[in-house]
Amino acid sequence: MSKQIAVKVDDLTVAYNYKPVLWDIDLEIPEGVLMAIVGPNGAGKSTLIKSILGILKPIAGSVSIYDKPYEKQRQLVAYVPQKGSVDWDFPTTALDVVMMGTYGSLGWIKRPGQKQKKAALEALEKVGMLPFKGRQISQLSGGQQQRIFLARALVQNASIYFMDEPFQGVDATTEIAIINILKELRKAGKTVIVVHHDLQTVPEYFDWVTFLNVKKIATGPVKDIFNDDNLTKTYGINYKVSIQE
Amino acid sequence: MSSAQIEIQLIASLVAIACAIPGTFLVLRKMAMISDAISHSILPGIVVGFFITQDLNSPLLILLAALTGIITVVLVEYIQKTGLVKEDTAIGLVFPILFSIGVIMIAKNANDVHLDVDAVLLGELAFAPFDRLIVSGIDVGPKSLWIIGSILIITIGLLFAFFKELKISTFDAGLAASLGFSPAVIHYGLMSVSSITTVGAFDAVGAILVVALMISPAATAYLLTNNLKRMLIYAICFGVFSAISGYWLAHWLDASISGSITTMLGLLFLAVYLFAPNKGVIAVMYREKQQRTEVSLLTFLLHLKNHTEERERHVNHLNEHINWQKVRSKTVLDLALKNNMIKFDKNIVSLTEKGEDFTSQAIDYIITNEDAQIEDMKDDFFLFRG
Ligand SMILES: Nc1ncnc2c1ncn2[C@@H]1O[C@H](COP(=O)(O)OP(=O)(O)OP(=O)(O)O)[C@@H](O)[C@H]1O
Ligand SMILES: [Mg+2]
């Protein structure tokens, strides 16, 4: 394959309190894929994303984004954290949360202005949340909160998107709306990496997959490696998933 | 008012503002207890600083004591990181020890140190005007006014410069880190400001009032608004209001100023807790009652919509059929009539056009949860306000 490598992870080991939760991960994610990271609870999926984004400091190994360290490439990367990682009672509105996506391009001290507000409104429109722009975030449903997070990532206008369980607690309509936006991103040549729990939908939604459980089990095109063998290795029990063509 | 009285109120107000700003972020970060820890553990810093400078208002003493505050935070985090104890336990382990070290240091040197534990905990605002700052022979005001004024100016400057960074790292530390706004830098920045404010204020108002002035106005403001900027402004107003009214309460009762200000803070919180328009206890109770009535109304309208036969819509029949007590039925009927949703025709009830529309719209909303179409109904009906 002649495709460029968007994200490269080398010998990454990450520990909490000296107890490694990711062991020696090697990973290459080619540009332009829509990739699922799958693995059981506690497998280290969120930890992997946080380490790639410099939120956690690994005890060994390195990460590069288009051949440069993450710190030099922040502008190319957008992040949707797991929904439960923030306090939804925080005194702020949907629009304000989406505006936070623009803070990275502003840098320290500079304040967001009209341009940033316009971008945020456009992103809200795209995820169908414009009518809720002034709503306090605790008064949004779980699916609406997830859409707000997605809008915040869209406003970053990045090349690579990392999303930690964007489908968590959303209904079928929202799930389809979100996956359509992700597919649109891929069509525009972006790389999208999604932590995903619903194994049934992996072949339908994604073209690339990484199996993770403390160690990397496998990574590659869904059609080549999404099989019972890898699922069993990852989840430890005998997994059977029917793969539609 | 004498000039001393004005000076005391001015000092108390500036302290209140300087505390409310970091306090708002401490409350939002669920770190209220950290301010308690800092306020006590600065004692050894103050004592050591006092040995060196012999002046409670020296900037060196303030920095030394603030450093003890930061050490407290670092120690708490270190103990917590071992994973052996939770954060509150770590706080409970660290600050009493540091505080006790301070107490012992004072006791061992009681003869040559003019410093006592009571003064540190409770302060004495009433004496603040007596310690004057004299610059080349000219009296420019109480020293504590200058100290807290300088701290306040720095705090406001930092708030304006780093408002966006404070907001994002408080709301979503992960995103802040991924965007390059180091949450650690902001965290320690906030801790430093809190420590310096605590030290700068304790001499005037005492360690306990500092904690109250940091946490209470912010907690009160939190009940009143969903906007961070407004929360800051409200917290500042509540702090200043309590400072001034507390001063007069003390004057009137001939009691401790610090104690009276803290009492006012508590009363203010209680009042807002009860009467806040949205989150207040009474508003919540009223809303729940209203929602119950509206659900009944909807049930009633739906019944009318679903039954065309007159027998089902006779006034007498409705009581037994929907199975409500008389009072309830009357409230619901009145509400429906008042809103022109039903009409009577020889004791037969039927829906008006408006009633029909309302019912279908409401059912639509309940099924789809599509908010956009019922925005205009929110003003009249609690049911739709989520
Ligand atoms: N802050 C933390 N301190 C200590 N241990 C942690 C911390 N965060 C995660 N862990 C541990 O690290 C391991 C990996 O956690 P991680 O959140 O990466 O899992 P995950 O694959 O994202 O799981 P899930 O599907 O539940 O989101 C788990 O065993 C978890 O208990
Ligand atoms: Mg996770």
Side-chain angles (χ1 to χ4, degrees):
Chain A
M1 270 210 342
S2 59
K3 262 192 177 168
Q4 234 187 320
I5 300 300
V7 181
K8 191 161 184 294
V9 176
D10 280 314
D11 308 323
L12 187 79
T13 298
V14 188
Y16 292 106
N17 311 322
Y18 315 110
K19 176 178 159 272
V21 294
L22 285 177
W23 272 110
D24 200 32
I25 307 284
D26 285 304
L27 189 61
E28 286 187 357
I29 307 171
E31 181 177 53
V33 296
L34 179 45
M35 182 179 99
I37 301 179
V38 298
N41 292 131
K45 304 179 295 295
S46 302
T47 305
L48 175 62
I49 290 188
K50 286 183 192 161
S51 320
I52 294 175
L53 299 181
I55 299 169
L56 291 173
K57 224 175 116 48
I59 54 175
S62 65
V63 172
S64 61
I65 306 287
Y66 286 113
D67 288 329
K68 291 200 188 112
Y70 175 76
E71 288 69 33
K72 293 220 166 72
Q73 305 279 51
R74 287 187 208 284
Q75 305 280 342
L76 299 180
V77 179
Y79 172 45
V80 176
Q82 218 163 337
K83 212 185 76 202
S85 67
V86 305
D87 171 17
W88 289 97
D89 285 324
F90 193 83
T92 189
T93 59
L95 175 62
D96 207 33
V97 171
V98 177
M99 296 258 279
M100 289 180 190
T102 66
Y103 288 8
S105 61
L106 286 167
W108 288 83
I109 299 182
K110 240 182 116 197
R111 307 270 189 101
Q114 281 308 314
K115 185 167 153 238
Q116 282 72 25
K117 188 170 172 189
K118 204 172 141 255
L121 289 172
E122 274 167 21
L124 276 169
E125 168 98 77
K126 209 174 234 165
V127 300
M129 288 293 292
L130 201 51
F132 301 90
K133 63 178 197 288
R135 186 75 71 86
Q136 206 274 323
I137 53 173
S138 67
Q139 288 165 13
L140 297 168
S141 71
Q144 292 170 335
Q145 291 172 343
Q146 203 69 67
R147 286 179 191 229
I148 293 296
F149 262 12
L150 181 63
R152 192 177 69 177
L154 292 177
V155 104
Q156 287 184 252
N157 200 9
S159 307
I160 308 174
Y161 291 79
F162 287 92
M163 311 199 173
D164 204 340
E165 302 193 27
F167 302 113
Q168 187 188 19
V170 306
D171 63 14
T173 332
T174 305
E175 179 157 336
I176 290 166
I178 294 178
I179 195 68
N180 283 338
I181 290 172
L182 301 191
K183 285 181 172 169
E184 233 173 76
L185 287 172
R186 176 181 54 187
K187 220 187 274 165
K190 320 268 185 180
T191 310
V192 185
I193 296 134
V194 178
V195 174
H196 193 57
H197 268 303
D198 182 8
L199 297 170
Q200 308 290 338
T201 53
V202 169
E204 184 189 335
Y205 291 172
F206 301 94
D207 57 9
W208 211 263
V209 64
T210 293
F211 292 93
L212 186 76
N213 192 351
V214 186
K215 299 174 96 163
K216 183 192 75 182
I217 313 291
T219 182
V222 171
K223 61 179 185 335
D224 297 342
I225 69 157
F226 193 72
N227 53 39
D228 293 342
D229 185 33
N230 280 328
L231 284 167
T232 307
K233 275 190 205 154
T234 309
Y235 288 87
I237 45 171
N238 208 352
Y239 235 97
K240 288 258 179 274
V241 179
S242 60
I243 304 180
Q244 317 98 312
E245 183 36 69
Chain B
M1 261 192 281
S2 73
S3 77
Q5 285 181 319
I6 293 174
E7 280 171 1
I8 290 172
Q9 290 175 68
L10 195 58
I11 292 169
S13 302
L14 293 192
V15 169
I17 302 172
C19 287
I21 294 170
T24 298
F25 290 99
L26 291 178
V27 166
L28 289 174
R29 287 167 172 247
K30 307 189 169 51
M31 292 177 67
M33 285 312 290
I34 265 289
S35 70
D36 194 19
I38 291 175
S39 69
H40 284 81
S41 61
I42 55 175
L43 186 62
I46 291 171
V47 179
V48 172
F50 192 74
F51 286 160
I52 299 172
T53 62
Q54 296 296 319
D55 175 7
L56 267 183
N57 287 313
S58 133
L60 179 66
L61 176 140
I62 292 182
L63 286 181
L64 266 177
L67 195 67
T68 338
I70 306 289
I71 292 172
T72 315
V73 176
V74 173
L75 276 177
V76 167
E77 278 163 9
Y78 180 80
I79 295 177
Q80 195 191 344
K81 234 192 220 140
T82 62
L84 299 174
V85 295
K86 296 256 184 305
E87 187 186 13
D88 55 347
T89 312
I91 291 176
L93 284 169
V94 171
F95 87 78
I97 295 175
L98 285 169
F99 183 69
S100 314
I101 293 174
V103 172
I104 293 174
M105 281 158 85
I106 292 179
K108 286 301 274 181
N109 300 280
N111 297 331
D112 29 68
V113 182
H114 160 71
L115 191 68
D116 69 89
V117 177
D118 274 2
V120 172
L121 284 181
L122 298 172
E124 203 29 274
L125 208 45
F127 297 148
F130 298 129
D131 194 2
R132 320 287 302 181
L133 183 67
I134 314 284
V135 181
S136 49
I138 302 165
D139 178 356
V140 291
K143 271 188 187 165
S144 27
L145 188 59
W146 282 93
I147 288 172
I148 201 64
S150 319
I151 292 172
L152 180 57
I153 287 169
I154 295 170
T155 305
I156 291 177
L158 289 171
L159 176 69
F160 273 92
F162 298 111
F163 181 72
K164 148 174 137 273
E165 287 75 7
L166 275 162
K167 179 162 73 178
I168 191 171
S169 71
T170 302
F171 174 62
D172 191 343
L175 180 74
S178 81
L179 294 178
F181 303 111
S182 162
V185 168
I186 292 159
H187 173 71
Y188 284 107
L190 180 62
M191 289 302 121
S192 306
V193 169
S194 308
S195 296
I196 292 173
T197 307
T198 307
V199 185
F202 96 91
D203 181 32
V205 301
I208 299 199
L209 182 55
V210 172
V211 178
L213 280 171
M214 283 199 177
I215 305 310
S216 188
T220 312
Y222 182 74
L223 297 179
L224 286 173
T225 176
N226 291 325
N227 176 311
L228 178 57
K229 280 181 194 158
R230 252 177 250 151
M231 181 173 165
L232 274 162
I233 293 168
Y234 291 174
I236 288 171
C237 294
F238 290 146
V240 172
F241 173 80
S242 307
I244 292 174
S245 58
Y247 172 78
W248 289 105
L249 181 69
H251 188 77
W252 178 55
L253 292 176
D254 193 19
S256 142
I257 301 175
S258 301
S260 303
I261 294 178
T262 311
T263 307
M264 285 311 297
L265 287 168
L267 289 176
L268 202 58
F269 178 81
L270 182 67
V272 171
Y273 174 76
L274 289 176
F275 300 111
N278 281 313
K279 299 186 195 166
V281 173
I282 291 172
V284 168
M285 271 163 52
Y286 175 72
R287 190 161 57 229
E288 274 168 6
K289 179 170 172 285
Q290 210 58 20
Q291 270 180 356
R292 244 187 342 255
T293 314
E294 285 169 14
V295 169
S296 307
L297 171 71
L298 200 58
T299 318
F300 169 62
L301 295 177
L302 204 61
H303 178 83
L304 293 179
K305 199 173 159 75
N306 287 342
H307 292 276
T308 39
E309 56 275 37
E310 294 207 339
R311 188 173 55 82
E312 289 279 351
R313 295 191 279 122
H314 194 278
V315 173
N316 292 338
H317 189 77
L318 283 171
N319 275 342
E320 56 191 84
H321 199 100
I322 313 189
N323 209 2
W324 290 328
Q325 287 128 20
K326 278 251 161 57
V327 189
R328 189 82 173 279
S329 325
K330 187 162 174 350
T331 326
V332 171
L333 274 176
D334 286 350
L335 185 64
L337 266 178
K338 201 182 89 201
N339 283 289
N340 292 324
M341 285 172 177
I342 51 170
K343 54 179 184 265
F344 283 99
D345 187 18
K346 295 191 207 99
N347 277 339
I348 305 291
V349 194
S350 54
L351 286 176
T352 60
E353 211 166 290
K354 186 179 170 208
E356 294 263 6
D357 282 354
F358 175 83
T359 315
S360 12
Q361 231 178 340
I363 295 301
D364 252 14
Y365 166 69
I366 286 163
I367 294 168
T368 62
N369 234 338
E370 285 288 350
D371 258 14
Q373 46 178 330
I374 49 112
E375 284 296 329
D376 52 321
M377 285 153 75
K378 283 187 185 164
D379 295 337
D380 299 326
F381 294 96
F382 285 93
L383 201 53
F384 304 115
R385 284 186 218 165

